[in-house]
Amino acid sequence: MKLNSPLFDRIRVKPDKDRRAKNDGPVCEWAGCKEKASHRAPKGRGREKEQWRFCLQHVREYNQTYNFFAGMSDAAVMAYQKDALTGHRPTWKMGTGKGKMRPDFSKFGDPFSLFGEGFRTEQKAQAEAGPPVRNAERKALEALGLEPGVTKAQVKTRFKQLVKRHHPDANGGDKRSEDKLREIIQAYNYLKQAGLV
């Protein structure tokens, strides 16, 4: 069968209904407009899933005046932008999240004695010890002559003592005491940023 046959030119099929595009879609929601609503526009903050239906002319007007952050303070806008970096989901520092490194079997028991009593006591000791001291924190505490586990007040008083002792005015401008003073101040600033002071 050939498609370019003259017989195919004479076959006509009459459609049972009109197939031309009809203008029976939704009407523009702009006041007084009767055009077809071919475009969507957001209704605003707090109604993200709802949308207006506008014609092309009115959606352009609406988009030029639309402001998602209208009515928000600068601080709220900055907080929104910061949260947008993570998709508005909660985040935490690595290793400090909600999950535990080892599962807590105290709720379920240990019916087959797989984990033993030593495992349970290790879990209890980790819970009582608090967060581990990092290497940089340990070095900063050593620079101040302190041990891990000291209070904020002890760190402050020790810092004041060492600053008075190693200050250049108290030592006649000795270079070694100036270097030691610089080390003490850096250690204190680190502990301050880490939240231990």
Side-chain angles (χ1 to χ4, degrees):
M1 184 180 336
K2 296 180 184 176
L3 293 177
N4 58 0
S5 168
L7 295 175
F8 284 110
D9 290 339
R10 294 188 190 127
I11 298 176
R12 299 277 186 245
V13 177
K14 183 177 180 186
D16 52 344
K17 59 182 178 180
D18 191 9
R19 295 184 183 179
R20 289 177 284 181
K22 294 179 182 175
N23 192 4
D24 60 353
V27 179
C28 180
E29 294 182 32
W30 198 272
C33 182
K34 302 290 185 207
E35 293 289 320
K36 181 181 174 187
S38 57
H39 300 282
R40 297 173 186 231
K43 286 196 173 182
R45 190 175 62 247
R47 298 167 63 186
E48 283 85 8
K49 297 194 188 260
E50 299 176 29
Q51 295 178 336
W52 297 106
R53 292 179 169 260
F54 294 128
C55 62
L56 180 61
Q57 176 188 356
H58 291 127
V59 82
R60 284 180 178 162
E61 283 183 47
Y62 180 81
N63 284 342
Q64 289 193 354
T65 60
Y66 179 74
N67 184 2
F68 182 80
F69 298 108
M72 290 177 73
S73 66
D74 289 341
V77 171
M78 294 299 287
Y80 183 88
Q81 289 175 340
K82 184 179 177 188
D83 287 344
L85 295 174
T86 59
H88 302 285
R89 295 194 172 155
T91 60
W92 44 83
K93 289 184 181 177
M94 194 75 158
T96 60
K98 296 178 182 177
K100 295 182 178 181
M101 295 302 283
R102 289 185 177 173
D104 184 13
F105 290 104
S106 62
K107 297 175 190 171
F108 309 109
D110 190 8
F112 300 109
S113 300
L114 294 174
F115 301 104
E117 196 60 37
F119 181 73
R120 288 190 203 103
T121 54
E122 180 185 336
Q123 276 188 332
K124 288 178 186 175
Q126 285 178 354
E128 292 171 0
V133 179
R134 295 185 188 102
N135 209 12
E137 291 172 6
R138 186 176 289 110
K139 286 180 182 178
L141 289 170
E142 285 175 7
L144 296 175
L146 298 170
E147 294 290 323
V150 294
T151 63
K152 293 180 179 186
Q154 290 173 329
V155 173
K156 284 184 180 182
T157 55
R158 182 65 177 162
F159 172 70
K160 290 177 183 178
Q161 290 172 353
L162 291 174
V163 166
K164 288 178 185 176
R165 184 183 309 159
H166 293 286
H167 197 273
D169 293 342
N171 292 316
D174 185 21
K175 283 288 186 189
R176 284 180 287 148
S177 64
E178 283 183 31
D179 293 338
K180 181 67 176 168
L181 179 66
R182 220 175 270 120
E183 182 184 343
I184 290 167
I185 292 172
Q186 285 176 349
Y188 182 76
N189 286 338
Y190 176 79
L191 291 174
K192 199 173 184 180
Q193 286 177 345
L196 297 177
V197 179

